[in-house]
Amino acid sequence: MAPDPRTLHKNASEETLVSLLQLDPSPIDASVYNKELPPLPEEESQSSNPSISASTSTLGLSGSGRGPIYYLSRIQRYSSYTFTFFAGLHVANTSIFPLVYQSVPYSEPFLLMARELYQTRLTEPLLVAIPVVAHVASGLAIRLLRRRQNLKRYYGGGTPGTWALGRKDSSSITSSSSSHSIWPTLSYVSVSGYAFVGLLASHVAMNRVLPLVVDGDSSNVGLQYVAHGFARHPLPPWVAYVLLLSVGVGHMVWGWATWLGVAPPVSWKKTTVDKQLRKRRRRAWWAINGVAAAGAVIWAAGGLGVVARAGSAEGWLGTVYDNIYAAVGH
């Protein structure tokens, strides 16, 4: 007797459903984010036009499949290398040496020597200003390009509202397109990066721009200048430096973990089903956060534990610092 076809189809469907439930979504390789989305059908027809393909290849935006996002990703990555070099020197001068010597006057010469490396007219733009601007600008440009690609792919290049009105079955289209997010996923690295930009800008304004505006020179600004600010009004600098250290170290550690491919993907707690894979990702998550916490503690131990408690400056130097801080009501 031949088996019932309906029974076979039912069993096959159940097996397929079980296999899908057991399948764990694997993380996308980081290199995928450097590539453009697959072309739309109308774009494929346009690519057959020699004049169009020649113009895009001349600009270096296609040809080998490397669009602007690929090059912007390289700019964002390599700009972080130079800033990491500067951050390493800065941690050593503002935390490690004060922590070792337990004295601001003994640690001040190391900061002055390091300034000859990263605070000249040539090296400061190359190691600090240009990498920071390139890093932030390339990240924003990537997000805008991803948004434009999503608009073109899911809404035909227009806004979601006008795209839905131009279709016959607007109800089904709106429900299917609403699941697609226009903007790329906002990860912790992105959020902390935007917060770090604001905190870093305020730090530069207080320690570089303000002395130049008020005193006309910033050569007298060092560890004692920071200690003097803590002695005048402790609460604002404590809040500012705790946020700067925690957010900045967290962003840099998670950013390097992402570059090295050891960071778990975004929303891994919701998407990871396999127990072993979930355990590995949890360990990686805890390890990265542990490294970030250790880095913040080490930086705070010297900066907040030694420099912030050194007391105010005396004599003419204290008067100079008072005039600078008084300009902003501190």
Side-chain angles (χ1 to χ4, degrees), residues 50-84:
S51 60
I52 297 177
S53 60
S55 61
T56 56
S57 299
T58 303
L59 293 174
L61 301 180
S62 63
S64 61
R66 296 180 177 180
I69 292 180
Y70 174 86
Y71 297 101
L72 289 171
S73 300
R74 266 43 185 186
I75 293 174
Q76 189 181 36
R77 176 166 185 164
Y78 297 139
S79 61
S80 63
Y81 292 179
T82 53
F83 187 79
T84 301

Side-chain angles (χ1 to χ4, degrees), residues 86-155:
F86 159 75
L89 291 176
H90 204 57
V91 171
N93 296 315
T94 60
S95 176
I96 304 300
F97 291 125
L99 190 62
V100 171
Y101 290 99
Q102 292 292 311
S103 173
V104 167
Y106 278 99
S107 305
E108 201 83 65
F110 295 100
L111 179 62
L112 298 177
M113 287 188 294
R115 282 180 175 177
E116 299 300 322
L117 296 176
Y118 63 78
Q119 208 173 86
T120 65
R121 292 184 177 181
L122 178 63
T123 58
E124 188 172 21
L126 292 177
L127 293 179
V128 184
I130 294 178
V132 170
V133 173
H135 190 77
V136 176
S138 59
L140 291 174
I142 290 173
R143 291 190 62 82
L144 292 175
L145 288 174
R146 289 296 188 194
R147 181 182 184 276
R148 188 180 68 176
Q149 289 180 347
N150 291 338
L151 279 174
K152 191 172 184 179
R153 179 158 300 274
Y154 301 125
Y155 302 102

Side-chain angles (χ1 to χ4, degrees), residues 15-45:
E15 292 177 358
T16 303
L17 177 61
V18 172
S19 63
L20 288 175
L21 290 176
Q22 294 178 348
L23 179 63
D24 183 74
S26 59
I28 301 177
D29 186 13
S31 60
V32 176
Y33 294 103
N34 301 332
K35 301 178 181 178
E36 305 292 333
L37 290 175
L40 295 171
E42 56 268 23
E43 292 177 345
E44 292 181 348
S45 62

Side-chain angles (χ1 to χ4, degrees), residues 3 5 17 25 41 59 62 88 115 124 131 166 181 209 233 288 291 317:
L17 177 61
L59 293 174
S62 63
R115 282 180 175 177
E124 188 172 21
S181 176
V209 179
H233 299 288
I288 296 171
V291 172
L317 191 59

Side-chain angles (χ1 to χ4, degrees), residues 287-304:
I288 296 171
N289 283 321
V291 172
V297 168
I298 293 174
W299 202 337
L304 301 179

Side-chain angles (χ1 to χ4, degrees), residues 14 16 27 29 38 42 53 69 77 115 118 136 145 161 165 185-186 190 200 219 252 260 269 271-272 280 284:
E14 291 178 352
T16 303
D29 186 13
E42 56 268 23
S53 60
I69 292 180
R77 176 166 185 164
R115 282 180 175 177
Y118 63 78
V136 176
L145 288 174
L165 291 174
T185 303
L186 196 63
S190 300
L200 184 62
S219 60
M252 288 185 284
L260 297 176
K269 294 182 180 180
T271 59
T272 307
R280 290 197 299 268

